[in-house]
């Protein structure tokens, strides 16, 4: 835009924006629910499965809650330095189309 000056700050392109918090919470919730579903399956199989397989089901029912909580509470991915900056500092901004006030853009 004419008259606007660069303050020396870099502008990030949208491709370098982090994932939305809602998406991250959804993914962690799904991982937790899947783990708890497998744990419920271990409890149900405990009633049906004979012999040494019962111990496998007991181990799954005991260990899975701790593993599920660890994975569900794992934080968001670490932010990385943006790699898609629009122009390094000190360089003029990219050329823009000229503004023509006589042109009607929206009809």
């Amino acid at each position: 835009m004419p008259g606007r000056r660069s303050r020396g700050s870099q502008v990030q392109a949208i491709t370098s924006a982090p994932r939305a918090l809602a998406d991250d919470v959804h993914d962690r919730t799904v991982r937790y629910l899947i783990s708890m579903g497998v744990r419920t399956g271990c409890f149900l199989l405990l009633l049906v499965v004979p012999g040494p397989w019962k111990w496998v089901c007991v181990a799954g029912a005991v260990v899975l809650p701790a593993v599920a909580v660890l994975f569900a509470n794992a934080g968001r991915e670490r932010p990385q330095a943006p790699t898609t900056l629009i122009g390094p500092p000190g360089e003029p901004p990219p050329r823009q189309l000229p503004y023509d006030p006589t042109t009607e853009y929206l009809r």
Side-chain angles (χ1 to χ4, degrees):
M1 296 173 97
R4 184 177 273 195
R5 294 181 185 200
S6 174
R7 295 185 181 126
S9 63
Q10 296 176 335
V11 179
Q12 292 185 358
I14 190 65
T15 55
S16 65
R19 289 182 54 198
L21 180 60
D23 291 341
D24 185 55
V25 170
H26 176 265
D27 291 345
R28 290 190 293 159
T29 303
V30 168
R31 282 194 305 255
Y32 182 78
L33 291 175
I34 288 172
S35 299
M36 289 298 105
V38 172
R39 180 182 187 217
T40 303
C42 286
F43 273 122
L44 293 176
L45 285 174
L46 187 61
L47 302 173
V48 181
V49 175
W53 287 105
K54 277 192 184 212
W55 293 108
V56 173
C57 292
V58 168
V62 169
V63 172
L64 273 175
V67 172
V69 168
L70 283 175
F71 283 125
N73 289 335
R76 299 181 75 183
E77 68 271 0
R78 302 243 186 254
Q80 298 174 351
T83 58
T84 55
L85 293 175
I86 301 175
E91 210 173 278
R95 294 189 59 191
Q96 299 177 357
L97 294 174
Y99 174 69
D100 183 10
T102 61
T103 304
E104 186 175 333
Y105 293 103
L106 301 173
R107 294 179 190 224

